[in-house]
Amino acid sequence: MLRCTGCGERFPILEIRYRCDQCNALLEVDTDLEAMRKARKPSEWKELFQERLGHFRPPYASGVWRYHEWILPQIPVERIVTKLEGSTPLYSGETLRRSLDAPAVFIKHEGENPTLSFKDRGMTVGVSWARHIQSKAVICASTGDTSAAMAAYASEVPGLRGIVLLPRDKVTFEQLAQPIASGCLTLALDTDFDGCMRVLQEFCQRHPVYVLNSLNPIRIEGQKTIGIETLQQLQWQPPDWFVIPVGNAGNISALGKGLLEARELGLIDRLPRIAGVQVEAANPLYLSYKNGFREAVSVEAGQTLASAIRIGQPVSYHKAAKVIQQLDGVVEEVGEQAIMDAKARVDACGVSICPNSGAAVAGYLKLRTAGIIGRDERVVLIATAHGAKFSQSTLDYHRSELSGITPRGANPVQPLAATLEAVEQATGFVRTS
Ligand SMILES: *Cc1c(COP(=O)(O)O)cnc(C)c1O
Ligand SMILES: [Zn+2]
């Protein structure tokens, strides 16, 4: 069943519906935890999930479908469209821990998914469902990564059209190349993300297309697995905190839903806290948090290098506000300089992240300075996309070409003559004979 997050009204899961017709709030999948509890004890679920780590083939080799019963038991295995997404690393290397002066910090790297962002976790479920309900077309508005993921999954399904609406000139080069290469109809609209979203909502009220933005409750179920898989990687010993960048607020809602369900199922015995991080240029959730979530704030999103979270009117505001309160969470905001310096620090430890993920790291550091997160606390920072999708800002940073930013971690390329002597001089190696 689908359940309204506003008034609690329930709808059959097979109905294509994104909002409640009573109160217009978003819907969520009412996961049947009772059925799961009846089927297996917590220790037996853990054993099953552990046993599936030994699989090489679909569906259980996927870090989403490993949790099939918890995600979408309604879908038969043979309808699943998967690229074996998930199973992403939890980095905690020595250089990283030293660089952040954090003995118990982890980076859950969702950029190491098939299309290089966490959106694959949602899309494997969303596109599988589109195939199950025999949709002819899927559509999304995107700040870049949603469209890349949707296009790549949709192009695996015969007869399924993919349509993406992008804000013109507001996604990176690499992100733009992805849906084009996947053969998806790619429309660059002369507006920002919020403008694309408005057009999409009008379009889909009139035409039979399946919407794969994060207002889609089925997609959110796939994204729940970021937190769930992290818990499994930590042997079900929950961290003290998860820190996550926030744009449209679907992912933080999904993270919270998964953690709360893990607690209800008895797989963990206490709840982690969560910290959502926004950029100063697009900080509506931060402003709402500051007013105690008394009212939803919307802003016009300004220029930011963290372009994937350049969103002024988060569609999942109410869901996010609720999980933040349930998980004793906080929301922080960070500026461009802090984002790029934090990204450079993590990049330099061999973990390539994007500016949006840099915002999460910068937010973490700011919360440390404020004394809200302690140095020794166990913290999972969620990196949402790979640095390779944002090479322009990385190069510009290291060349000191980002206006208004003084790169503290710059490592510029050094042009050099093609001689032994020049290389010796540049490297500091001295000839002994
Ligand atoms: C989509 C996206 C986000 C934001 O997720 P929301 O669910 O919109 O809050 C953050 N980082 C990256 C890289 C993304 O692609
Ligand atoms: Zn309702």
Side-chain angles (χ1 to χ4, degrees):
M1 297 291 277
L2 299 175
R3 180 179 49 212
C4 171
T5 55
C7 70
E9 179 77 19
R10 292 158 65 87
F11 304 93
I13 197 164
L14 277 164
E15 268 182 32
I16 300 185
R17 176 186 288 284
Y18 315 101
R19 289 182 183 276
C20 176
D21 50 15
Q22 307 293 315
C23 74
N24 205 40
L26 292 189
L27 308 176
E28 64 181 1
V29 174
D30 185 9
T31 307
D32 194 349
L33 299 177
E34 201 41 52
M36 284 185 72
R37 267 197 294 262
K38 282 203 188 112
R40 285 187 172 83
K41 295 196 291 242
S43 61
E44 291 169 342
W45 281 115
K46 290 180 188 175
E47 270 166 39
L48 179 70
F49 299 148
Q50 202 63 22
E51 183 262 311
R52 287 178 180 166
L53 289 177
H55 286 236
F56 286 107
R57 304 203 311 119
Y60 299 128
S62 154
V64 172
W65 299 105
R66 186 184 312 137
Y67 312 100
H68 185 191
E69 296 85 346
W70 193 349
I71 302 310
L72 197 65
Q74 293 86 347
I75 193 158
V77 163
E78 64 275 11
R79 298 273 166 76
I80 289 175
V81 185
T82 175
K83 297 178 183 295
L84 306 188
E85 52 291 314
S87 304
T88 53
L90 194 58
Y91 287 107
S92 188
E94 192 176 341
T95 53
L96 182 69
R97 284 181 279 119
R98 279 195 197 181
S99 175
L100 300 181
D101 181 35
V105 78
F106 300 86
I107 291 191
K108 176 64 171 164
H109 204 337
E110 287 298 302
E112 298 195 18
N113 266 300
T115 75
L116 308 183
S117 87
F118 75 84
K119 300 298 198 303
D120 293 335
R121 289 192 191 254
M123 286 304 166
T124 182
V125 182
V127 171
S128 296
W129 194 248
R131 177 181 178 189
H132 182 56
I133 62 177
Q134 299 180 338
S135 294
K136 294 279 176 283
V138 288
I139 192 169
C140 69
S142 175
T143 53
D145 292 328
T146 298
S147 52
M150 191 192 82
Y153 282 83
S155 62
E156 286 207 36
V157 182
L160 182 62
R161 275 185 82 188
I163 306 164
V164 306
L165 308 184
L166 296 171
R168 191 191 301 170
D169 300 331
K170 294 185 180 71
V171 307
T172 70
F173 234 60
E174 296 89 349
Q175 286 173 323
L176 183 60
Q178 287 179 297
I180 299 172
S182 301
C184 186
L185 179 64
T186 305
L187 307 171
L189 275 54
D190 200 4
T191 179
D192 58 6
F193 172 81
D194 298 292
C196 291
M197 201 65 209
R198 270 193 297 280
V199 175
L200 177 138
Q201 303 218 24
E202 284 175 35
F203 182 81
C204 72
Q205 275 162 15
R206 290 168 179 77
H207 305 285
V209 291
Y210 190 52
V211 179
L212 284 175
N213 275 94
S214 57
L215 58 79
N216 180 318
I218 305 286
R219 195 188 115 182
I220 291 298
E221 290 304 291
Q223 289 174 210
K224 260 182 4 189
T225 60
I226 300 175
I228 295 170
E229 183 176 272
T230 304
L231 293 174
Q232 185 177 5
Q233 285 169 309
L234 295 173
Q235 275 98 47
W236 307 98
Q237 299 300 311
D240 298 301
W241 290 89
F242 277 92
V243 184
I244 184 170
V246 177
N248 224 0
N251 210 25
I252 192 169
S253 308
L255 174 69
K257 187 172 192 280
L259 297 174
L260 288 161
E261 289 175 357
R263 176 78 189 85
E264 272 192 63
L265 284 170
L267 295 176
I268 51 174
D269 55 15
R270 63 183 177 82
L271 286 169
R273 297 179 70 185
I274 54 176
V277 184
Q278 296 213 290
V279 290
E280 286 166 3
N283 62 354
L285 193 73
Y286 173 76
L287 296 176
S288 303
Y289 166 76
K290 281 288 169 192
N291 76 30
F293 293 119
R294 276 193 306 279
E295 57 188 306
V297 177
S298 57
V299 302
E300 186 174 337
Q303 177 63 38
T304 172
L305 294 163
S307 52
I309 52 176
R310 181 175 181 176
I311 295 175
Q313 248 181 294
V315 73
S316 294
Y317 165 78
H318 289 284
K319 283 188 183 180
K322 193 166 156 200
V323 298
I324 290 166
Q325 287 166 317
Q326 285 172 304
L327 292 166
D328 192 16
V330 299
V331 184
E332 188 52 275
E333 64 168 357
V334 290
E336 301 295 300
Q337 172 86 46
I339 289 171
M340 293 309 286
D341 284 334
K343 165 174 150 50
R345 263 162 95 166
V346 173
D347 283 350
C349 301
V351 179
S352 172
I353 63 170
C354 69
N356 316 285
S357 312
V361 179
Y364 162 69
L365 295 169
K366 196 167 169 187
L367 290 166
R368 279 270 305 271
T369 305
I372 294 166
I373 300 183
R375 175 179 179 272
D376 296 321
E377 286 194 276
R378 292 172 82 226
V379 180
V380 175
L381 310 176
I382 296 177
T384 44
H386 201 281
K389 284 200 183 200
F390 292 79
S391 58
Q392 185 75 55
S393 59
T394 305
L395 288 168
D396 289 347
Y397 177 87
H398 289 287
R399 285 180 194 136
S400 301
E401 282 176 7
L402 290 175
S403 73
I405 292 180
T406 311
R408 302 211 173 88
N411 178 31
V413 177
Q414 300 176 32
L416 204 65
T419 66
L420 173 63
E421 291 71 24
V423 174
E424 282 176 337
Q425 196 166 28
T427 58
F429 279 96
V430 185
R431 240 177 292 177
T432 50
S433 60

